[in-house]
Amino acid sequence: MNKEFIRKYIFKSIIITLIMILFLVTVFFKTHFYPGTVINGVVNVSWLTTKAADEKLNNWAASYTLALHERGNIEEQIKGTEIGLKFDRVYGSYSLKKEQNRTLWFISFFNRDVLNIGNVFTYDENLLQERYSKLNCVDNSNVVEPKNATLKYSNGSYYIVKEVYGNKVNDALLYSCIKNAVINGESELDLDKLKCYENPTIKSDSEMVKNTKAVVEHYITSEIIYTYAGGSEVVDENVISNWIEFDTDLNVIINKVKIKEFLKTLAVHYDTCGKVRDFVTSTGTRIKIGGGDYGWKVDVNQETAELIEDIMSRRTIIKEPKYSQKGAFHNGNDIGYTYVEIDLSKQHLWFYNSGILIANGNVVTGDIYDGYKTPEGIYSLKYKVTNTVLKGENYSAIVSYWMPFNNNIGIHDATWRTEFGRDIYLTRGSHGCINVPFWLAEKIYNNISVGTPIICYY
């Protein structure tokens, strides 16, 4: 044999050997997983047969445990056996290997997609939900709600109350993270890192807290002094701080309900509407008379709005509250010296202007027999109008002067009457109005102003 022949023989032998090795390796990997094959990123089945892989995957599913790392160094576990976790692939690992064989084994060294196989484990959704519901982290009795940083008043200033992180989880997010972890074979979940907790949105070191603190400390520097006969009421930092509240987003709320309660109590010193008053009649008799709608009355709603504005504007003022209606004076019986006096028993009327008797005369008031008795009390003139028609049940009357003071009861001329006074009102009286002669109605109308007290008594 010559050297050339030997070289050719050796070369052919090597080629044949390589081909046989390649063939044998290819045959081997028809039933064995390629090196580096990992199922769900956790189970390494390199070099294993499908049968051995099935056993390893089933054992892994049976021993699977998901550890939950929770706040407060609390640990909980969900076991694969508790949620029915299993390797669930049609025809077992054989189907996985069949899919892997679509790529030649030697190409797998360059194609990692062939080596990383996922989505091969399943669980029982009902069992997972049941196990999830029993976790301590979702038990309402163990939940500490998150709280935003807030402000509290003490000794003339506000201090910052730090936020509370608590341990309340976002149910939907946590459940989704657990499902994904189970499917992907993850063994640990850090709830904080995955942001599964509901956290406070306002932190104690935020600019918002600092700014809000500056605002409310500005408010409590206000001082509003309400003066009244015999005393005063001071609205200062101790009172204002009790009215200032914060919502969960640290927005400043000035409690209107509390302010209205304060003003209702304060109104006792100002309101005279309906109160019993001492009154000296034109005949010199001292009487007590109450009822009606005349007098001072604090406008709680309007004063609430103004008081809030005073606080927000940092005012220091002495004031009276806003009134929905006013009397003539604050002292005495607050009636003053301009008023209409009607003695319903004597059926007589007097009209005074600035203490001067302008006019007086007999009248006819509400019919007692028919149940139209004119109510007593102190009222105020609501408006006045000329040439109008008064209408009621079974009557209609044209009058020249109409001056109502108590709903549909008022003073007006009654030209259909020829006499006034005496006991006419007992059986032939009006429907409640004060019937007066034309001249008297005209005199009153031309000199009276809206709001003038009308005093009716028996």
Side-chain angles (χ1 to χ4, degrees):
M1 296 183 186
N2 58 36
K3 291 182 179 180
E4 182 65 27
F5 176 80
I6 293 172
R7 283 199 300 271
K8 288 182 179 180
Y9 177 79
I10 292 172
F11 177 75
K12 289 180 180 179
S13 297
I14 292 172
I15 294 299
I16 292 170
T17 300
L18 289 174
I19 291 172
M20 288 183 68
I21 292 172
L22 180 62
F23 173 76
L24 291 173
V25 172
T26 301
V27 171
F28 178 83
F29 282 124
K30 281 287 185 181
T31 57
H32 293 73
F33 285 98
Y34 300 154
T37 302
V38 178
I39 306 297
N40 272 49
V42 290
V43 184
N44 192 319
V45 293
S46 301
W47 308 99
L48 297 181
T49 64
T50 57
K51 182 178 180 181
D54 280 349
E55 184 178 354
K56 189 171 185 179
L57 290 167
N58 284 322
N59 290 338
W60 185 90
S63 62
Y64 172 77
T65 298
L66 174 62
L68 304 179
H69 304 300
E70 303 169 9
R71 281 183 181 169
N73 295 319
I74 296 173
E75 302 283 333
E76 292 193 77
Q77 292 183 339
I78 297 176
K79 296 182 178 180
T81 53
E82 295 174 315
I83 60 175
L85 184 68
K86 62 182 179 179
F87 172 53
D88 186 24
R89 186 80 176 193
V90 179
Y91 309 119
S93 296
Y94 174 77
S95 63
L96 295 176
K97 184 60 190 145
K98 190 175 180 180
E99 289 182 15
Q100 191 180 50
N101 286 345
R102 293 175 182 176
T103 303
L104 296 176
W105 63 269
F106 52 83
I107 297 179
S108 69
F109 292 104
F110 308 99
N111 185 358
R112 304 308 297 174
D113 291 340
V114 177
L115 303 178
N116 294 309
I117 302 171
N119 300 323
V120 300
F121 293 103
T122 61
Y123 60 89
D124 187 311
E125 185 76 35
N126 292 328
L127 290 177
L128 179 59
Q129 289 179 354
E130 182 180 350
R131 179 68 185 93
Y132 178 82
S133 68
K134 293 178 180 177
L135 291 173
N136 287 329
C137 63
V138 298
D139 184 346
N140 287 333
S141 63
N142 298 324
V143 170
V144 176
E145 295 278 346
K147 294 181 181 178
N148 286 333
T150 189
L151 298 166
K152 294 288 184 182
Y153 173 81
S154 179
N155 299 323
S157 64
Y158 281 86
Y159 65 92
I160 299 172
V161 180
K162 292 193 69 174
E163 65 277 6
V164 174
Y165 277 83
N167 61 5
K168 185 177 182 180
V169 298
N170 181 321
D171 269 316
L173 178 58
L174 176 57
Y175 189 75
S176 176
C177 288
I178 290 174
K179 285 176 64 174
N180 290 334
V182 170
I183 291 172
N184 295 316
E186 297 174 24
S187 59
E188 292 184 298
L189 280 185
D190 187 316
L191 273 61
D192 253 323
K193 287 183 179 178
L194 292 171
K195 299 182 179 179
C196 290
Y197 288 104
E198 294 184 9
N199 291 322
T201 56
I202 300 174
K203 311 297 175 58
S204 55
D205 59 355
S206 68
E207 285 299 314
M208 179 182 184
V209 173
K210 295 176 184 176
N211 293 338
T212 303
K213 183 175 184 293
V215 167
V216 292
E217 288 185 338
H218 174 91
Y219 289 170
I220 61 173
T221 60
S222 307
E223 186 174 75
I224 298 97
I225 302 172
Y226 289 95
T227 58
Y228 50 83
S232 63
E233 194 77 34
V234 180
V235 177
D236 57 13
E237 64 184 47
N238 295 314
V239 178
I240 298 170
S241 62
N242 187 49
W243 295 342
I244 293 176
E245 299 173 357
F246 307 94
D247 65 14
T248 55
D249 295 322
L250 206 63
N251 294 309
V252 180
I253 300 170
I254 299 182
N255 193 313
K256 291 183 180 180
V257 174
K258 289 183 178 180
I259 292 178
K260 286 181 179 180
E261 289 303 316
F262 163 79
L263 290 174
K264 286 176 183 177
T265 302
L266 182 68
V268 171
H269 301 292
Y270 295 97
D271 288 351
T272 61
C273 182
K275 285 187 175 181
V276 174
R277 299 166 173 84
D278 290 326
F279 179 71
V280 178
T281 69
S282 293
T283 58
T285 305
R286 181 177 293 276
I287 65 172
K288 290 186 178 295
I289 182 169
D293 59 13
Y294 173 80
W296 297 89
K297 191 171 184 180
V298 173
D299 190 327
V300 172
N301 289 331
Q302 188 177 353
E303 183 57 27
T304 296
E306 184 157 307
L307 180 51
I308 290 173
E309 177 61 29
D310 292 337
I311 293 169
M312 294 175 69
S313 299
R314 195 182 172 186
R315 291 182 182 137
T316 298
I317 54 174
I318 298 173
K319 66 179 296 189
E320 283 188 55
K322 293 292 182 183
Y323 297 101
S324 58
Q325 62 183 53
K326 296 181 179 181
F329 302 100
H330 274 306
N331 57 347
N333 61 18
D334 77 1
I335 294 171
Y337 304 102
T338 298
Y339 57 87
V340 173
E341 175 189 348
I342 305 169
D343 187 329
L344 299 170
S345 296
K346 290 184 169 58
Q347 293 287 285
H348 198 86
L349 175 152
W350 296 264
F351 173 39
Y352 295 89
N353 193 330
S354 300
I356 299 172
L357 182 62
I358 300 298
N360 76 98
N362 290 333
V363 300
V364 176
T365 61
D367 193 300
I368 301 296
Y369 182 81
D370 285 338
Y372 294 114
K373 180 180 179 181
T374 300
E376 59 184 332
I378 306 175
Y379 304 89
S380 59
L381 182 66
K382 302 302 182 290
Y383 63 91
K384 60 180 185 176
V385 66
T386 59
N387 301 320
T388 189
V389 178
L390 306 180
K391 294 183 179 180
E393 187 177 353
N394 301 320
Y395 77 88
S396 177
I398 300 174
V399 300
S400 297
Y401 303 103
W402 169 235
M403 294 163 279
F405 59 84
N406 178 12
N407 295 315
N408 60 346
I409 295 175
I411 301 168
H412 64 80
D413 54 292
T415 54
W416 54 89
R417 292 187 183 276
T418 57
E419 55 182 352
F420 297 86
R422 304 197 317 276
D423 57 0
I424 297 172
Y425 76 106
L426 295 176
T427 57
R428 294 181 292 119
S430 69
H431 288 84
C433 286
I434 314 301
N435 290 179
V436 300
F438 181 90
W439 68 268
L440 183 55
E442 184 178 44
K443 188 72 171 180
I444 296 170
Y445 187 91
N446 289 335
N447 291 276
I448 199 169
S449 300
V450 173
T452 297
I454 311 291
I455 306 166
C456 301
Y457 61 90
Y458 284 93

